[in-house]
Amino acid sequence: MPARRRTDPVAGRAALAAWLDGDTSRPTTTTAVRFTLEELAAVAPGNAVEVRVPPAGAVQAVAGPRHTRGTPPNVVETDPATWLDLASGRSTWADAVTAGRVHASGERADLADLLPLQAARRR
């Protein structure tokens, strides 16, 4: 089943473009984060990894075993700016992990092959 979109893709791309141009207001950042999280879930459907970007949102993605209770075995957590840098290609997965800007636990929690997101690239 494809990921359910709550963010209009046009509004999401516009928010991401505005964020990349320097608009770091909370509404813009939140919309951009939610759009890119939804895009990740669409590109890598599944429930094996929980990607958390507090306070903007979280999504389950990546194929593999599904967890149903408690803390998932595969978790990625980062802040909104780092997530948007990763999603847009302004930062690499390896650099963000090395710098401690991304906390990833579990054998499926490496998102390097999924980032940057195609939908997050400038058109």
Side-chain angles (χ1 to χ4, degrees):
M1 173 188 302
R4 188 173 118 206
R5 290 219 180 247
R6 295 180 181 196
T7 305
D8 174 46
V10 173
R13 283 188 186 92
L16 181 59
W19 186 86
L20 289 167
D21 288 338
D23 179 357
T24 58
S25 67
R26 187 172 182 145
T28 297
T29 301
T30 299
T31 300
V33 168
R34 289 180 181 163
F35 165 69
T36 52
L37 286 172
E38 291 167 5
E39 188 64 24
L40 175 68
V43 170
N47 297 94
V49 179
E50 185 165 297
V51 181
R52 301 172 180 166
V53 185
V59 71
Q60 289 185 358
V62 183
R66 178 185 184 103
H67 77 279
T68 56
R69 304 179 99 201
T71 302
N74 300 285
V75 176
V76 172
E77 187 163 341
T78 190
D79 62 275
T82 299
W83 172 251
L84 293 174
D85 282 343
L86 289 166
S88 66
R90 292 199 328 188
S91 180
T92 67
W93 179 260
D95 289 344
V97 170
T98 300
R101 295 173 40 203
V102 170
H103 304 284
S105 62
E107 62 186 38
R108 298 182 194 279
D110 185 340
L111 302 180
D113 291 340
L114 300 171
L115 300 169
L117 297 169
Q118 181 67 27
R121 295 185 181 167
R122 289 208 187 253
R123 300 188 186 272

